[in-house]
Amino acid sequence: MRRILFLSIALALQAATTTATAQEAGVATEAIPSQPLDRALNALSRQTGLQFVYGAQAAGNPETRAIPAGLPPDEGLKRLLAGTGLRHRYLNATTVTIEAAGAPASAPAPAAPGAAPDAAAAPQALAPVQELESVQVVASYSRSLEQAVDIKRSNIGFSDSIVATDVADFPEQNLSEALQRMPGVTIERNKGLGTRVNVRGLPSEFTHVSINNLATASGSGGRDVEFDIFASEIIQQVTVQKSPTAADEEGGIAGSVLISTARPFDYDGRKLVASAEGAYNSISEETDPKLSFLASDTWGDWGALVSFSKAERTNRTDSTSGINFRPMFRFLEASDPRGSQAAEVLERDAGIVVRDRTDRDETGRIIFQDKVGDRVYLDDQDKWGATASVQYKPSNRFSLTFDAMIGGYDTTEDEYDAAAYSASSRSTLETIHEYDATTLSEHGMVVLRDVSYTATQHEFLSKERINRTDYSQYSVAMDWKGDSWGIDAMLGYSGAEKTLDYANLKHVAYAPSRTRWTGNSGETIPSDNPDTIDMYDAPQAYLFEAYETTLEQVTDDKYAAQLDFSKALDLAFLPALRNVQFGARYTDKSKERHYGELKITGPAAGDTSWVDTRTLADSPLQWVSDIVPGGAYGVKDLDWRQVSNEYARGAFRYPGFATPFDEGQYYRVDEEVTSLYAMADFAFDLGSLPLAVNAGARYADTAVLSFGYHPVQNADGTTGYTDSPVSRKGGYDDILPSLNMTAELSDGLLLRAAASETLIRPQLTDIAYKRTASWNSFRFTDGNPDLLPTTARQWEIGLEKYLENGGLLAASYFRKKIEGVVVNSLTGVVEDVAVYNANGTLNGHYDFDVYQPVNADGSYEVDGIELIAQLPLSMLHGALEGFGINANYTRLDSSLAGESDLGISTPMPGLAENTFNFTLYYDNDRFDARLSYNHKDEYVESIGYNMYPIWRDAYGQLDMSIGYRLTDRIKLTLKGINMTDETTGGYTMDPSFPTMYERSGRRISLGIRADF
């Protein structure tokens, strides 16, 4: 039996690397090193779009010669096969057979080198192949890893990829969680769900994200993309590119996430895939459905594809949080007797004598506990996404493609919160039961661990957050190529609309109580004061304060147009220059935001009759363990009664109620960017060392126009705004050079190096030219249209060893020097501002400080190492056939010390020094299994009160996946997320001062997949 192997990697994977446009032009844009035949053809297939067919048993898998970049396909094939005893011939315009040089030719070769034969010759050419039994490569996890390695090897710069099988067939809940398997990629988790993506430890807003070469809108307040809105099932391939070329749209300081959706000619003819899944959450005890399908077909020159995914998720999280440090100046600066009593208790119970109650360097080092909150969250999420693609491809030289991606992400989060606010405005210290003067003594700090307070503010909060996000993306791409040239064009639109509806029913009771830290959180209990209460069982003591509502609407639109031209060269006077490419891109981005808030205090507009008269007991109460599914509170042995959000929304929102928008919170930012770039590919030998070099530069010119209302106070004491939005222009331009190089030191051993300058643009909320006023704090906060982007000069060098059967060992060192980080700063003073009392009387004239986001002076450096090991274990012993490991490790370091008014040295917020992922897998024709563990070190999440670094604990999670093919077409899967039921936590400065403790539980899913 003769076996035929189809190598169609480029058709199974839509190229998302920066060289993709030139690759579609029909020339080998990247040098292909010497390697086994099957892998060399994989690389050439990706670059040219050709499909290769060869008899694996008859032809073998000989070592091929290296070929330089910039060659037409026919010439590249000739050089690739020279000395192997094999030849190539075209079966049709897109299919090439590889056979022994002495085999009889059943179809003519192309008329001229580099030109594919007419498609009319295809039936005659295909006849001999149809007589043979063919075996097409079946998708598997190990195969997807090999394909990702092929992409990494062929890319001129540093990159890592995951492809369809890995993206869609792992137990992630969204695209963010799929990306965490990649080297240098970590995710931010929120209540058990991956949300934003961090590349190499840098903040998420430092990462540039695009889908089908179009920068993505997600409706967030900044530029970072909220990955949790995207279903991973509709994604075909993701490449994280860490060293840009000039052809890239800016590049991002952390890196670029390049996402591709599927197209019909990615598949060989008709393709139908459908899957269904049910997932069970161990805390909510709910089972959630997920459905997806893909249908694709080609007929002649045309092809069409549609895909759809819909998932529901009900997730419960039990948490204690809000247990942060509070500086003692909260009490010491209060008017007497509150301030003086705090000083007396400090001296009496802890021996602390306060020299100056107004000196915050002194009082900011005496710490008490801010509050303790026991919270239950219930997230109901409904997510759907769909893609469509129509392609016209009359030959391998021309294609026209329309891509569409639409979807929605609707979530309702109910939060039931029983909290004790120690630092209430009515309270002060009563008795210090325990204090700690040793743990943080190096900073001169004393922490009051266990304290009774005179008037703790106890709260029952029923919060409801409704988030509706609709996104859409449409693009038309043209690829047209000649023998040695290529033209690519793209027109696209990306948009998102987001609505956030928030409500909080608040009841408050002031009474003495005792609050203290415990092993992993904190607790509030009755104190010795006779007026104390059991905060969890005293509904008559809680008075209605308000039913607070906010409403926010964000519209995010982006239009883009791009044109690229590439030309393969063969110059006698400069033989090393193989290809040049240049192009232009124009983008027009607009983001508009409306926001408003209103408090309901009675049964009608303006009515305040409920305030301080209605109690918690006047509403129907339910045990929190009954309001949400899943039973008892899982963090402590507690239960309490609250008002359900369902009742609150119906009872407290009077007829005709609507949350009005506040003109002072409105902004709109328009941004236009025009970019030009040019780059060249070189291939030459340095002695016996083959080198491939890509060098270029990108010029980007940016114009900004932003709008916002500015506040004024009317003579009657009310706050007003300018009659129309105030606008202001800004702008900047940049030249971004880049250099990427690879050298094959020996068979399969590559030296890779890169250097570039990149940027990330400032947050649109920071650019917005609006002014908000804090009349009580005598402070204005302005946007700043003159902000410049944050830039980075970076370089990287690494070694990559490519092994048989898709194995890879790689190590690299990178360094980034980052300048122009955006920080908030005092930029001016407005003198003699009139401030009025609530009754309209003049309070006085005051000088108002003006704060703005500005680009900070100086720079800081981030450096790190990345290690990758992808090893099929059969290379060690035949008995391990089918087993393999996929592991990566990243270590980071930063020169930046976090901002702390007390001079406490902290690393850069968000930067985890060590992260690693380890996957052990096994697969064969019928069965596959994977265990994956990902770990992220502790990191500074924020700096409380600009003084105290708040850390997020190190977190590791074990996931698993098992699959069994019932038939060749039907597969059964069992998946598990967080199998060890890990909790997330945090602390302030030292683990003995925990800030949060959160459980989100395990998630087990059972699914079935049909593939036709």
Side-chain angles (χ1 to χ4, degrees):
M1 177 175 64
R2 187 176 177 190
R3 198 164 171 267
I4 302 297
L5 178 65
F6 286 79
L7 295 172
S8 55
I9 304 306
L11 300 178
L13 305 172
Q14 181 63 41
T17 62
T18 55
T19 57
T21 54
Q23 291 167 359
E24 287 294 317
V27 295
T29 59
E30 308 289 352
I32 298 178
S34 174
Q35 57 189 306
L37 174 62
D38 59 348
R39 297 180 60 186
L41 292 177
N42 283 346
L44 192 59
S45 174
R46 284 192 305 275
Q47 295 188 20
T48 63
L50 295 175
Q51 178 172 287
F52 297 103
V53 182
Y54 76 98
Q57 292 182 352
N61 195 27
E63 193 79 359
T64 62
R65 293 188 177 182
I67 63 172
L71 296 179
D74 195 63
E75 180 62 21
L77 274 168
K78 286 181 180 179
R79 295 199 188 188
L80 190 76
L81 300 176
T84 64
L86 302 175
R87 71 178 183 186
H88 75 280
R89 60 184 176 86
Y90 284 85
L91 299 180
N92 56 35
T94 61
T95 307
V96 182
T97 184
I98 308 297
E99 57 192 23
S106 56
D118 191 279
Q124 179 184 0
L126 286 173
V129 178
Q130 291 171 350
E131 298 173 2
L132 306 173
E133 181 179 351
S134 64
V135 179
Q136 187 163 357
V137 176
V138 178
S140 66
Y141 178 69
S142 59
R143 184 59 181 150
S144 73
L145 293 180
E146 291 178 26
Q147 293 169 349
V149 168
D150 288 337
I151 297 171
K152 181 180 181 69
R153 183 170 186 170
S154 65
N155 195 353
I156 188 68
F158 288 90
S159 70
D160 293 283
S161 300
I162 51 177
V163 297
T165 301
D166 195 15
V167 172
D169 199 31
F170 220 80
E172 67 274 338
Q173 302 173 89
N174 55 40
L175 183 58
S176 171
E177 296 192 353
L179 295 181
Q180 69 178 321
R181 321 282 174 193
M182 304 175 70
V185 176
T186 57
I187 62 174
E188 297 176 9
R189 292 186 179 276
N190 182 24
K191 306 178 189 73
L193 183 69
T195 53
R196 291 177 169 86
V197 169
N198 305 121
V199 178
R200 289 183 165 171
L202 295 172
S204 56
E205 60 268 22
F206 281 11
T207 301
H208 181 79
V209 181
S210 66
I211 299 179
N212 296 332
N213 200 30
L214 185 62
T216 302
S218 70
S220 70
R223 296 183 186 272
D224 52 327
V225 171
E226 296 172 340
F227 282 87
D228 52 337
I229 72 175
F230 299 120
S232 61
E233 289 77 15
I234 63 175
I235 304 301
Q236 179 77 359
Q237 175 185 318
V238 183
T239 293
V240 176
Q241 187 160 295
K242 301 167 183 176
S243 63
T245 69
D248 293 332
E249 186 181 1
E250 298 165 9
I253 288 178
S256 294
V257 177
L258 312 174
I259 302 171
S260 299
T261 58
R263 290 176 170 176
F265 282 98
D266 292 349
Y267 302 98
D268 185 14
R270 182 172 297 172
K271 183 75 170 178
L272 296 172
V273 180
S275 66
E277 181 179 291
Y280 173 82
N281 177 258
S282 64
I283 297 184
S284 70
E285 299 179 354
E286 296 283 318
T287 299
D288 305 319
K290 180 165 67 173
L291 301 170
S292 61
F293 77 86
L294 179 145
S296 177
D297 201 1
T298 59
W299 54 94
D301 300 337
W302 289 87
L305 177 148
V306 293
S307 72
F308 177 82
S309 176
K310 178 176 174 59
E312 295 179 6
R313 179 180 183 267
T314 302
N315 194 75
R316 174 175 160 180
T317 299
D318 293 356
S319 170
T320 61
S321 54
I323 316 166
N324 298 313
F325 280 10
R326 192 65 185 259
M328 188 53 68
F329 55 70
R330 167 65 170 169
F331 291 152
L332 293 174
E333 292 181 0
S335 58
D336 291 334
R338 288 176 60 226
S340 59
Q341 178 173 334
E344 291 169 2
V345 172
L346 284 169
E347 183 175 1
R348 181 195 72 199
D349 294 344
I352 300 172
V353 177
V354 179
R355 295 183 298 274
D356 183 352
R357 286 166 47 186
T358 64
D359 181 2
R360 292 195 169 188
D361 185 65
E362 178 185 6
T363 59
R365 299 179 191 274
I366 307 170
I367 307 302
F368 69 102
Q369 195 172 107
D370 191 17
K371 68 188 299 184
V372 173
D374 292 297
R375 296 167 180 172
V376 177
Y377 299 90
L378 183 69
D379 286 297
D380 287 314
Q381 300 170 1
D382 190 348
K383 179 190 308 183
W384 71 274
T387 69
S389 181
V390 178
Q391 273 187 292
Y392 172 63
K393 194 171 183 179
S395 71
N396 199 45
R397 294 176 177 271
F398 182 86
S399 70
L400 188 66
T401 306
F402 169 76
D403 291 308
M405 179 176 174
I406 58 174
Y409 180 65
D410 299 341
T411 178
T412 298
E413 180 184 85
D414 293 310
E415 176 188 343
Y416 297 100
D417 190 351
Y421 182 47
S422 309
S424 77
S425 59
R426 303 182 185 182
S427 188
T428 189
L429 305 181
E430 187 172 67
T431 303
I432 300 172
H433 302 281
E434 181 184 355
Y435 66 93
D436 183 343
T438 59
T439 303
L440 302 179
S441 59
E442 64 176 303
H443 305 294
M445 296 173 63
V446 177
V447 182
L448 310 183
R449 286 189 174 271
D450 185 351
V451 179
S452 291
Y453 300 90
T454 60
T456 297
Q457 180 177 324
H458 307 86
E459 303 171 339
F460 276 109
L461 310 172
S462 298
K463 302 179 182 180
E464 182 183 45
R465 300 175 181 89
I466 300 175
N467 179 350
R468 302 281 185 264
T469 301
D470 296 308
Y471 64 88
S472 59
Q473 181 164 314
Y474 309 96
S475 62
V476 176
M478 182 196 74
D479 304 311
W480 183 21
K481 57 192 173 184
D483 291 343
S484 61
W485 54 268
I487 297 176
D488 298 277
M490 185 274 292
L491 292 172
Y493 163 80
S494 177
E497 294 183 357
K498 173 178 283 190
T499 301
L500 298 101
D501 183 349
Y502 169 78
N504 178 21
L505 175 61
K506 185 175 182 180
H507 289 82
V508 176
Y510 290 92
S513 63
R514 179 177 176 179
T515 299
R516 59 191 179 190
W517 269 281
T518 62
N520 52 27
S521 60
E523 65 176 1
T524 297
I525 59 175
S527 71
D528 295 333
N529 191 304
D531 295 327
T532 191
I533 63 172
D534 179 353
M535 63 169 287
Y536 299 99
D537 191 22
Q540 292 287 354
Y542 286 82
L543 296 175
F544 173 89
E545 182 170 293
Y547 183 73
E548 303 168 343
T549 69
T550 68
L551 184 65
E552 181 176 11
Q553 290 182 352
V554 177
T555 303
D556 187 358
D557 296 304
K558 182 169 185 177
Y559 299 86
Q562 181 159 326
L563 181 65
D564 299 275
F565 176 80
S566 63
K567 172 68 175 175
L569 301 174
D570 187 10
L571 304 176
F573 65 90
L574 188 56
L577 179 60
R578 300 305 175 89
N579 190 75
V580 294
Q581 183 175 327
F582 51 88
R585 186 180 183 102
Y586 171 80
T587 60
D588 186 349
K589 183 177 180 67
S590 177
K591 181 168 286 191
E592 187 174 45
R593 183 240 199 183
H594 295 271
Y595 177 88
E597 56 187 44
L598 186 66
K599 293 183 178 180
I600 297 174
T601 54
D607 191 337
T608 61
S609 60
W610 286 343
V611 178
D612 293 337
T613 61
R614 183 184 178 111
T615 71
L616 181 64
D618 292 331
S619 296
L621 303 179
Q622 294 176 263
W623 293 102
V624 71
S625 55
D626 294 329
I627 296 177
V628 298
Y633 183 51
V635 177
K636 299 177 183 177
D637 184 17
L638 281 177
D639 205 357
W640 63 89
R641 291 180 295 167
Q642 281 196 238
V643 180
S644 73
N645 284 321
E646 182 180 8
Y647 171 81
R649 179 169 283 268
F652 291 96
R653 297 193 180 213
Y654 47 78
F657 169 79
T659 304
F661 287 131
D662 179 5
E663 289 180 329
Q665 298 293 337
Y666 169 84
Y667 73 78
R668 174 176 169 173
V669 178
D670 295 334
E671 181 181 81
E672 296 183 42
V673 180
T674 303
S675 301
L676 303 172
Y677 79 90
M679 68 181 188
D681 294 300
F682 299 86
F684 55 91
D685 292 338
L686 186 62
S688 60
L689 190 67
L691 296 178
V693 178
N694 172 277
R698 185 179 192 90
Y699 170 77
D701 182 74
T702 305
V704 175
L705 179 62
S706 63
F707 307 81
Y709 292 90
H710 280 208
V712 295
Q713 271 208 330
N714 303 317
D716 62 359
T718 61
T719 300
Y721 296 93
T722 52
D723 294 334
S724 59
V726 179
S727 64
R728 183 170 169 183
K729 294 181 179 180
Y732 48 87
D733 57 5
D734 293 273
I735 296 177
L736 306 173
S738 64
L739 177 69
N740 292 273
M741 180 194 75
T742 61
E744 187 159 15
L745 304 180
S746 62
D747 181 23
L749 181 63
L750 264 64
L751 172 68
R752 198 184 295 272
S756 62
E757 183 172 347
T758 62
L759 63 80
I760 202 73
R761 302 180 185 279
Q763 303 272 22
L764 295 176
T765 51
D766 291 338
I767 296 175
Y769 189 57
K770 65 183 180 70
R771 168 169 286 180
T772 56
S774 175
W775 302 107
N776 293 329
S777 301
F778 311 119
R779 175 171 173 169
F780 289 135
T781 302
D782 287 0
N784 185 1
D786 294 326
L787 278 177
L788 299 176
T790 301
T791 61
R793 293 181 175 90
Q794 59 187 25
W795 61 270
E796 185 167 2
I797 189 168
L799 282 174
E800 300 167 0
K801 176 61 177 178
Y802 293 87
L803 309 171
E804 297 292 334
N805 301 320
L808 169 67
L809 295 172
S812 66
Y813 172 83
F814 60 88
R815 191 172 186 86
K816 300 173 183 286
K817 184 177 182 180
I818 302 176
E819 299 177 327
V821 174
V822 176
V823 297
N824 285 311
S825 179
L826 176 66
T827 58
V829 176
V830 179
E831 298 179 348
D832 296 327
V833 177
V835 177
Y836 294 87
N837 298 313
N839 60 6
T841 60
L842 180 67
N843 179 284
H845 290 80
Y846 301 90
D847 293 346
F848 273 49
D849 293 334
V850 179
Y851 281 81
Q852 279 184 296
V854 298
N855 296 104
D857 294 332
S859 63
Y860 68 92
E861 295 182 349
V862 174
D863 61 354
I865 58 171
E866 282 185 356
L867 305 176
I868 302 172
Q870 182 177 310
L871 300 173
L873 297 182
S874 58
M875 62 188 297
L876 303 178
H877 195 279
L880 297 176
E881 182 68 34
F883 286 94
I885 62 171
N886 178 24
N888 57 75
Y889 168 78
T890 304
R891 179 172 177 83
L892 301 171
D893 192 15
S894 171
S895 65
L896 179 70
E899 300 176 12
S900 170
D901 292 346
L902 296 181
I904 299 169
S905 179
T906 71
M908 176 182 178
L911 189 149
E913 286 189 358
N914 298 282
T915 60
F916 66 86
N917 299 287
F918 181 88
T919 299
L920 174 66
Y921 66 88
Y922 172 80
D923 59 27
N924 59 29
D925 292 341
R926 288 289 180 188
F927 177 80
D928 63 78
R930 273 163 281 162
L931 286 175
S932 179
Y933 183 80
N934 61 81
H935 175 89
K936 182 177 182 178
D937 255 3
E938 61 182 7
Y939 62 92
V940 172
E941 191 172 32
S942 61
I943 302 177
Y945 295 95
N946 294 323
M947 294 181 175
Y948 320 111
I950 300 173
W951 291 78
R952 176 66 71 95
D953 275 331
Y955 183 84
Q957 179 170 299
L958 179 68
D959 304 329
M960 56 79 68
S961 174
I962 298 173
Y964 180 74
R965 290 191 174 274
L966 302 175
T967 70
D968 289 341
R969 304 288 186 185
I970 299 177
K971 182 180 180 181
L972 195 65
T973 60
L974 177 66
K975 304 176 183 179
I977 295 177
N978 191 20
M979 296 304 297
T980 53
D981 198 14
E982 297 294 329
T983 60
T984 57
Y987 60 88
T988 303
M989 298 186 66
D990 187 89
S992 65
F993 306 115
T995 60
M996 64 170 291
Y997 183 77
E998 189 173 276
R999 292 185 65 242
S1000 296
R1002 304 180 185 90
R1003 192 170 182 85
I1004 309 295
S1005 64
L1006 181 66
I1008 189 168
R1009 174 186 173 98
D1011 192 335
F1012 300 97

